[in-house]
Amino acid sequence: MFVDVALPLPLFQTFTYRVDGTPRHPLVAGSRVVVPLRNKRAIGICLGPAEPPPDGVKTKAIVDVPDPEAALGEPLLALGRWISEYYVVPLGMVLRSMLPAALTGAAVPVPAQKTRRCAEIARELPSLLERDQLFARAKKQREVYELLEAIGGRATVEHLVEQLGVTPGVITALAEKGIIRIVNEVVARDPFASRPAGVAPALTPTPAQRQAIDALRAGAPGDVFLLHGITGSGKTLVYIELLRHVVGTLGKSAIVLVPEIALTPQTVDRFRAVFGDRIAVLHSALSDGERLDEWRALQRGEKRIAVGARSAIFAPLSDLGAIVVDEEHESSYKQGESPRYHAREAAIMRAKLEGAVTVLGSATPSLESWVNAEAGKYLLLELPERTAGGRLPTVAVVDLRRGAPPEKHDTAAASFARHPTDTRIADATRSPARAILSDALDGAIRQTLDRHEQTILLLNRRGYASFIICDDCGDVATCPFCSITLTYHRAPERLVCHYCQHQEPVRERCARCHGKTLHQRGLGTQQVERILAERFPEARIARMDVDTTSGKWAHATILDRVGRGEVDILLGTQMIAKGLDFPNVTLVGVVDADVGINLPDFRASERCFQLLSQVAGRAGRGPKGGQVLIQTRLPTHHAVRCAVTHDYHAFVKEELAGRKEPAYPPNVRVTNLIFSGITERATADLADSAVEWFRGVLAEHPVRVSVLGPAPCPVERIKNRWRWHLVLKSAHPNDMTRITRYFAEHFVVPNSAQLRVAIDRDPVALL
Ligand code: ADP
Ligand code: ZN
């Protein structure tokens, strides 16, 4: 007998292996197999029976079938095939990335497992007379025995010791008499178990929520819903009520995708409070062993809901009823390395394959999803109001341009002026500290502190200063490996590259002219933190960015402190913009809205609008209301204007028009081909030859795809590799698939200068 096997190799082919004798476990499509590969062993996935090879072609035999059950069921295999086709990635590479890391190594892993000591009744003592005799002078032993008997014959030693106040010696003595035995029980390693889940408040859905819930519950298999609900409109309750129906009533399973679990412990806690231990939380900080435990619990059906980031879409659940994609617009749903799949698109495909319902939720849906909803491909559900009588915060702009006149009061600003504060929109250029905190923002923070309410401040740039410049020659310190300026960090003091993490000591002299007057420019969170500490010495300030959240539970720890009222000002990068629900936050300040708005990327404005809308949505979630101040030098930019007026529809209209000429998604489909290598010449030449190749193919075949480029990538060099790119555009997905696949299989990359090609279909950015 022969089987077809997918191996994690960069080749668009599968492999035929022979099966000698009867394997240790059943061999079916989706089973992991250990096979010989070039004198080594590799783990592959069986795809099913294969034709015997032609005479004379030698085959090797599989070595082992290590698992009793298939690692990937039929629907997940089908999903893998779709990802492989659409994103143009070899199937074996896709299937490998769908499995937990502990199952992909060549050595069959025996993950270290935590155990705990349990006591178990070994000999029943039905006769009370016998008990009296046995325990005549051992009252404590009798208590232990009878407690065990009362709770089903088994308990942890720890539990017995705690409940009865006995010493462990009592338990040992019982074991020595042969009445009980001590066994080691495997503990499932669930780090969320140590976090209290809290109690789910019994909320009655609002009429708008009710409508959405009913529509979702009535959804047909494969239906996709776009839940457009403003910030604070109660989307989480809608998800929970859907899952109650799907998991509780129908007995099916469900997946909940969140952009990044560490950033949304509150959301995860709400699900846990309702569904308790039926949930597997697939956290990025899980060890390989912990992840495997959760994965197995899902596969065995012990847990019926998987909550996690991107890769949770591959959770091995059977009988899937619903998939929720929360904050569906987030770019973290796109994997940045091969396979470069988008978890939202994979979710929709998986739901179609398994007859489940998909809900995409967001206050600021991606343009792609919005257009699909308008075209009727997705069913639109709207939650246009905040729950429980909450109002959206008033938003005002602080114009940071030198000499800017006081901003004219538009409607939002006018209501802001009526807010019980007397701050005014101010010119922010009087002193350096003022350029960072305008009078308006400074005053608003002061009043918020005085009222014992909380402030969230956003600056989407970490470090202290974003670059160091020489006053004599104008040279800017850049990373030796990337075409990126080095960011100045103060604690600990050093220059850091935010692309490759290269670090170096702070320079005393300019590297080019040896001049001594180096200046820091551009603002980072560390500097804002210092200015806040000076301006508001009594305030308790917490900073949340990549530098303060490296520990496993760092995010949750900071956010829990905010929730308990132990923080007055929470300052951070974009990681503070999402999902947080703190009713005592009445002020949100955006220190510099313009970070990233001018990036040479077609989605720069969209990302800016989403970030501003999301962070603004953190204010005024309680009865006290809230206000938002946005400091900017681009007050007329549509991303800023529409965030101020909470006008998603106006933003979409303007942004879609801006992507017509030249056409960008969602008006057209795009694939980015990135060529990289260690010399610039070879990289540019490779990109040139690829364009020639495409011209040749397009001249001979009727494929409706256009080719743009080549050009250096906006970030020309990363980690010592030069980068050039080509952009393919097409309105016809199938043509895009065909030509990209043909390119991947036929375009020859020379074996020099470490040249590589990456294919990024539907990229989230072209940087
Ligand atoms: P979103 O995710 O849409 O921004 P959340 O789901 O975080 O909003 O809900 C915002 C707040 O409203 C939460 O504190 C939540 O407990 C509360 N909430 C949601 N639904 C209701 C309801 N029907 N009645 C009262 N409060 C609600
Ligand atoms: Zn670098």
Side-chain angles (χ1 to χ4, degrees), residues 500-547:
C500 75
Q501 313 312 327
H502 161 80
Q503 304 192 359
E504 58 183 65
V506 174
R507 302 171 186 186
E508 277 174 11
R509 286 167 171 274
C510 169
R512 191 162 88 185
C513 76
H514 302 284
K516 273 200 268 186
T517 37
L518 297 178
H519 267 105
Q520 305 159 3
R521 294 279 162 72
L523 192 60
T525 45
Q526 289 184 349
Q527 192 169 347
V528 176
E529 183 184 25
R530 203 173 90 153
I531 290 164
L532 289 172
E534 282 165 8
R535 288 285 307 159
F536 310 106
E538 75 285 10
R540 296 160 300 173
I541 301 165
R543 194 181 96 219
M544 196 158 127
D545 55 33
V546 169
D547 300 310

Side-chain angles (χ1 to χ4, degrees), residues 175-244:
E176 279 163 4
K177 284 187 180 163
I179 295 168
I180 64 169
R181 69 181 151 248
I182 308 287
V183 293
N184 282 328
E185 181 188 81
V186 175
V187 189
R189 289 154 291 192
D190 175 4
F192 263 91
S194 56
R195 216 184 131 74
V199 204
L203 296 175
T204 312
T206 62
Q209 284 172 324
R210 187 77 261 160
Q211 255 189 333
I213 295 162
D214 291 344
L216 289 171
R217 288 181 171 183
D223 276 356
V224 182
F225 292 87
L226 178 61
L227 177 62
H228 175 219
I230 63 166
T231 56
S233 60
K235 294 185 284 295
T236 314
L237 185 68
V238 173
Y239 305 147
I240 286 174
E241 290 303 315
L242 169 65
L243 264 50
R244 254 196 232 277

Side-chain angles (χ1 to χ4, degrees), residues 79-97:
L79 180 66
R81 284 204 171 88
W82 176 77
I83 290 176
S84 163
E85 280 286 310
Y86 187 83
Y87 294 100
V88 196
V89 187
L91 180 59
M93 310 274 275
V94 174
L95 298 182
R96 179 179 62 180
S97 70

Side-chain angles (χ1 to χ4, degrees), residues 482-484 499 600 712-718 721 723 766-767:
C482 310
S483 53
I484 285 292
Y499 267 77
C713 294
V715 184
E716 279 189 316
R717 202 160 62 112
I718 297 180
R721 300 180 65 84
R723 305 167 74 239
L766 292 177
L767 301 171

